Amino acid sequence: MKAFTTISSRIVPLPIENVDTDQIIPARFLKATTKEGFGENLFRDWRYDASGAPVRDFILNNPLYEGQILVAGKNFGCGSSREHAAWSIADYGFKVVVSSFFADIFRNNALNNGLLPVVVTDAFLQKLLNLDRMDTVTVDLAAQTITIDGTGEQEGFAINGYKKTCLLNGYDDIDYLLSIRPEIETYEQSRK
Amino acid sequence: MGKSLFDKIWDKHVVKSIPDGPEVLYIDCHLIHEVTSPQAFKGIENRGVSLFRPKQILATADHNVPTLNQHLPIKDELSRKQVQMLSDNCARHGVELYGLGHRYQGIVHVIGPELGVTQPGMTMVCGDSHTSTHGAFGAIAFGIGTSEVEMVFASQCLLQSHPKLMRISVEGELSKGVVAKDIILYIIAQLTSGGATGYFVEFAGSAIRALSMEARMTICNMSIEMGARGGMIAPDETTFAYMKGRPFAPQGTEWDRKVAEWKELYSDGDAIFDEEIFIDAAAIEPMITYGTNPGLGIGVTGSVPALDKVPDENEKKVIAKALQYMGLEAGKPLLDMPVQHVFIGSCTNSRIEDLRMVAGVIKGRHKHDGVNVMIVPGSQQVAAQIVEEGLDKVFEAAGFVIRQAGCSACLGMNEDKVPAGEYCVSTSNRNFEGRQGAGARTLLASPLTAAAAALTGKVTDVRELI
Ligand code: SF4
């Protein structure tokens, strides 16, 4: 996993609540056996119509908007456990997803892929969604803050200390778990 | 202070706690399938490590398999490759696989319980959110992502933070025509689709105690649809009676020893929950959803909300968007609305008891001409039992097409899809936009309500038919 650094970027607003994993990446695209290339079909059925033509007013098809920070309505990522949802968002080029509420499994999946879920208050979320498209936002993981650069308005966000260290250093849980295999064996023995 | 059912199991499985971090939780049983495992196998191989405890893993092919002609090679190339890769990976790493054609193959959450693999007091995971189903046996069972599948491959452990605990007590007696699916759709409608996020839910109360194991599985299965990590129910005599004699259940004196252990698995009288909810069973009607998340449900005789009656602005937007997708009018009843498809299947409602329920309604009747009915048993064993009990004759006489075991139109990964714009009364668990096929419109309901719709070709109150 790549280490997470501070991100300053314009945002892509998606003011929709309950964005579920079937919208992020529909099941018919889950047949792949690698993690790459899912970005192409991110939000597939909102982005393209039945004939495959881009839907004009969907935000990802609007050339005026771009950035590494996706800002979405509350209860983002609900539904299935498919990690493909996090892979598609990361593969598309987003580094941060901001919402006022994330579904549990999605949040874990994002963190496991170096994609940072940032929880903000409803009021701050509204501010972000209403920004001018040229405004930039800075997400500083070390300081655990998200700032609207133009106005300096800022909020802190919570993250588990262990996960933060992992992200900042690009470690992953598997390296850690492999390193404690002997302790796990001792635990197994103790249960017999 | 007393302990909750959840904590009795959790505490036994903590290998160690990381300061300012999560706990290392030991996983007794890991279920895998073809869709969410290939990248995890690859990950392990890239690291050059072996699977830590391959004997604690069980695999099946279910999500992406055809439900007709399973003996023939899979036509879709990508699907075929994915299923083949599961076989290759399992063979290479020494994992037991009940693949296509095996008499134990089926939807992963149907086969675990029916084989006796799922047991009280266990920790269980699977790369599928409906792993919560297994909680019906008094296990801590939850869905994980593919990175986490890889973690369990590597160490039989996961890093997990202790969730908040919620208890939902359903007290009293259910009325006629109301079954487990209605209870859970009712609860989700009350709590909303995000209402239990961050919680593990224990279902309790006299109405839950009175349910069969199949019905309890339906309830725990859908606990994820209100955002919960999982749901669980304390094991009791109903649980033990269901498990006894199943292929992987303990036998002989080991069985007695285990049952004595399992009897300790309940929430102590003074256990504390972060949240307690009480539901009156008698208030529940047969339920149906009208929207695009499982929380947007109403009693079958009720009306879709009138938008000016929805106080919350955001909620109003959510409902308006859902109604637009569903082609429904605010404020109008759903009763008598024509439907073109009925899907009876999925890990929520494809067990033998569900199919018996359907057969009970349709016996001696014929489906409506305008409806395409798909009935997909949850496993090969369920399929065999249908024949043994003669239910296949009932279904065939009614004009239902019985397919072979798999997830099928629950997620529309194979060819079992609902065409754009058409309505499907479905016994599955998700009514998201496009879940059953791009543009498909799903109305979630119980097997009874689905059977009624199959007979009349429209949304029907099953109480008028039974
Ligand atoms: S039946 Fe549906 S919900 Fe259940 S495991 Fe299969 S795809 Fe998931």
Side-chain angles (χ1 to χ4, degrees):
Chain A
M1 208 163 74
K2 284 234 298 274
F4 189 98
T5 49
T6 298
I7 305 277
S8 288
S9 156
R10 287 162 57 192
I11 66 157
V12 177
L14 187 68
I16 300 175
E17 291 192 4
N18 305 313
V19 174
D20 61 72
T21 48
D22 279 82
Q23 305 323 313
I24 300 173
I25 182 88
R28 59 186 190 280
F29 299 110
L30 307 188
K31 296 179 183 181
T33 50
T34 61
K35 294 184 185 182
E36 290 77 34
F38 285 100
E40 256 171 66
N41 294 311
L42 173 65
F43 296 121
R44 175 75 202 200
D45 294 337
W46 285 344
R47 213 164 130 198
Y48 301 99
D49 66 17
S51 71
V55 173
R56 275 255 310 284
D57 55 5
F58 187 64
I59 192 80
L60 295 193
N61 295 325
N62 185 337
L64 298 178
Y65 285 89
E66 59 171 28
Q68 298 179 307
I69 302 174
L70 178 67
V71 180
K74 121 177 149 203
N75 200 21
F76 186 85
C78 57
S80 124
S81 63
R82 62 185 71 154
E83 195 159 314
H84 312 67
W87 297 336
S88 30
I89 296 172
D91 188 60
Y92 185 85
F94 290 113
K95 299 272 189 294
V96 177
V97 191
V98 182
S99 178
S100 55
F101 197 86
F102 288 96
D104 275 338
I105 306 184
F106 176 81
R107 204 189 41 222
N108 279 339
N109 286 342
L111 286 166
N112 285 332
N113 287 281
L115 176 70
L116 180 66
V118 171
V119 181
V120 297
T121 60
D122 283 316
F124 200 76
L125 183 70
Q126 282 314 317
K127 274 189 198 146
L128 291 172
L129 289 172
N130 293 332
L131 286 182
D132 182 85
R133 63 178 187 83
M134 293 310 288
D135 286 340
T136 59
V137 168
T138 297
V139 175
D140 183 341
L141 174 59
Q144 295 178 227
T145 55
I146 173 166
T147 313
I148 299 170
D149 296 331
T151 61
E153 285 167 284
Q154 188 178 71
E155 258 193 18
F157 60 87
I159 182 170
N160 172 301
Y162 166 85
K163 274 289 171 199
K164 179 175 168 180
T165 313
C166 286
L167 277 179
L168 285 172
N169 295 294
Y171 299 155
D172 71 25
D173 290 351
I174 299 173
D175 297 326
Y176 172 75
L177 287 167
L178 284 170
S179 76
I180 61 162
R181 271 186 175 190
E183 286 174 71
I184 298 169
E185 275 168 4
T186 310
Y187 165 84
E188 287 176 324
Q189 289 305 323
S190 77
R191 287 214 323 171
K192 290 229 164 97
Chain B
M1 192 186 75
K3 264 192 185 185
S4 62
L5 165 63
F6 180 89
D7 279 333
K8 285 182 182 175
I9 302 171
W10 176 274
D11 290 351
K12 274 212 175 110
H13 289 84
V14 173
V15 176
K16 68 184 280 189
S17 299
I18 303 172
D20 189 26
E23 293 179 298
V24 179
L25 189 74
Y26 190 79
I27 303 302
D28 295 316
C29 176
H30 184 191
L31 305 168
I32 62 170
H33 60 84
E34 75 278 23
V35 175
T36 56
S37 67
Q39 294 87 351
F41 276 112
K42 201 167 292 166
I44 283 292
E45 289 174 4
N46 288 345
R47 286 170 200 265
V49 295
S50 57
L51 262 58
F52 188 56
R53 295 290 177 252
K55 297 278 170 280
Q56 284 167 243
I57 308 172
L58 180 62
T60 192
D62 56 359
H63 279 64
N64 192 7
V65 300
T67 54
L68 292 175
N69 295 318
Q70 286 184 345
H71 62 289
L72 298 178
I74 301 176
K75 279 197 222 119
D76 180 276
E77 195 196 322
L78 287 175
S79 303
R80 191 173 61 241
K81 208 176 134 205
Q82 202 174 47
V83 172
Q84 184 59 44
M85 193 169 268
L86 179 70
S87 305
D88 296 348
N89 282 330
C90 288
R92 201 158 54 242
H93 291 277
V95 172
E96 182 88 62
L97 166 69
Y98 299 140
L100 276 190
H102 194 285
R103 70 194 170 103
Y104 287 163
Q105 179 265 340
I107 304 176
V108 64
H109 310 310
V110 174
I111 70 167
E114 79 181 2
L115 292 172
V117 169
T118 303
Q119 297 178 10
M122 275 187 164
T123 47
M124 298 180 75
V125 294
C126 173
D128 184 279
S129 53
H130 294 94
T131 309
S132 57
T133 312
H134 308 267
F137 290 78
I140 293 182
F142 55 93
I144 56 177
T146 299
S147 296
E148 293 170 311
V149 171
E150 193 179 334
M151 290 174 210
V152 185
F153 280 172
S155 66
Q156 204 57 35
C157 286
L158 277 175
L159 297 172
Q160 288 288 309
S161 303
H162 188 282
K164 288 185 285 183
L165 301 181
M166 179 188 289
R167 177 162 60 189
I168 301 179
S169 303
V170 189
E171 301 286 354
E173 271 184 45
L174 295 172
S175 15
K176 177 182 143 188
V178 176
V179 291
K181 181 67 163 285
D182 302 305
I183 302 180
I184 191 66
L185 284 174
Y186 180 86
I187 294 175
I188 302 168
Q190 302 277 315
L191 266 72
T192 78
S193 65
T197 301
Y199 290 91
F200 225 95
V201 177
E202 178 179 346
F203 296 95
S206 58
I208 301 289
R209 293 255 74 86
L211 295 175
S212 68
M213 284 317 293
E214 280 94 339
R216 293 181 192 184
M217 285 187 249
T218 300
I219 299 225
C220 289
N221 172 277
M222 286 194 74
S223 47
I224 176 81
E225 304 306 340
M226 49 192 183
R229 282 296 343 242
M232 63 199 310
I233 295 172
D236 60 9
E237 292 304 329
T238 306
T239 321
F240 310 144
Y242 176 96
M243 290 182 62
K244 193 157 188 184
R246 295 198 177 255
F248 293 88
Q251 316 282 337
T253 53
E254 177 65 5
W255 168 260
D256 298 331
R257 197 180 64 78
K258 279 288 188 187
V259 169
E261 228 175 73
W262 296 339
K263 285 186 172 165
E264 299 301 313
L265 296 173
Y266 54 85
S267 287
D268 295 331
D270 53 349
I272 294 183
F273 292 83
D274 300 284
E275 176 98 38
E276 287 247 34
I277 290 174
F278 295 90
I279 304 273
D280 174 14
I284 307 173
E285 257 202 287
M287 296 286 294
I288 192 157
T289 64
Y290 61 87
T292 52
N293 76 57
L296 301 179
I298 51 176
V300 69
T301 59
S303 296
V304 173
L307 289 179
D308 52 2
K309 299 258 165 58
V310 182
D312 182 85
E313 276 308 310
N314 283 327
E315 178 77 8
K316 197 179 288 182
K317 265 194 247 159
V318 169
I319 295 179
K321 183 169 183 290
L323 293 182
Q324 196 200 4
Y325 178 84
M326 294 295 292
L328 296 175
E329 248 180 89
K332 292 276 162 63
L334 284 182
L335 221 46
D336 292 337
M337 191 187 79
V339 301
Q340 295 74 41
H341 303 266
V342 168
F343 171 59
I344 297 165
S346 91
C347 57
T348 313
N349 283 125
S350 65
R351 297 179 181 81
I352 190 68
E353 189 181 277
D354 302 311
L355 303 183
R356 281 186 201 131
M357 240 191 267
V358 173
V361 178
I362 64 165
K363 192 161 188 179
R365 292 168 161 149
H366 197 275
K367 79 169 180 75
H368 187 273
D369 282 344
V371 189
N372 163 41
V373 184
M374 271 191 266
I375 184 157
V376 186
S379 70
Q380 301 288 353
Q381 293 209 82
V382 172
Q385 207 171 339
I386 292 179
V387 176
E388 220 167 88
E389 297 186 12
L391 302 182
D392 57 329
K393 304 263 171 6
V394 178
F395 294 139
E396 276 156 22
F400 286 24
V401 181
I402 309 177
R403 292 175 170 254
Q404 291 169 295
C407 293
S408 180
C410 173
L411 87 166
M413 259 190 99
N414 67 358
E415 52 279 2
D416 308 347
K417 290 187 178 70
V418 175
E422 298 191 4
Y423 293 95
C424 178
V425 175
S426 176
T427 67
S428 57
N429 43 54
R430 286 190 176 139
N431 50 358
F432 296 152
E433 287 183 26
R435 171 81 178 181
Q436 297 195 288
R441 292 162 165 171
T442 304
L443 309 164
L444 300 176
S446 77
L448 289 179
T449 301
L455 294 176
T456 60
K458 51 195 187 180
V459 174
T460 300
D461 184 349
V462 68
R463 290 170 295 191
E464 287 169 9
L465 296 177
I466 52 177

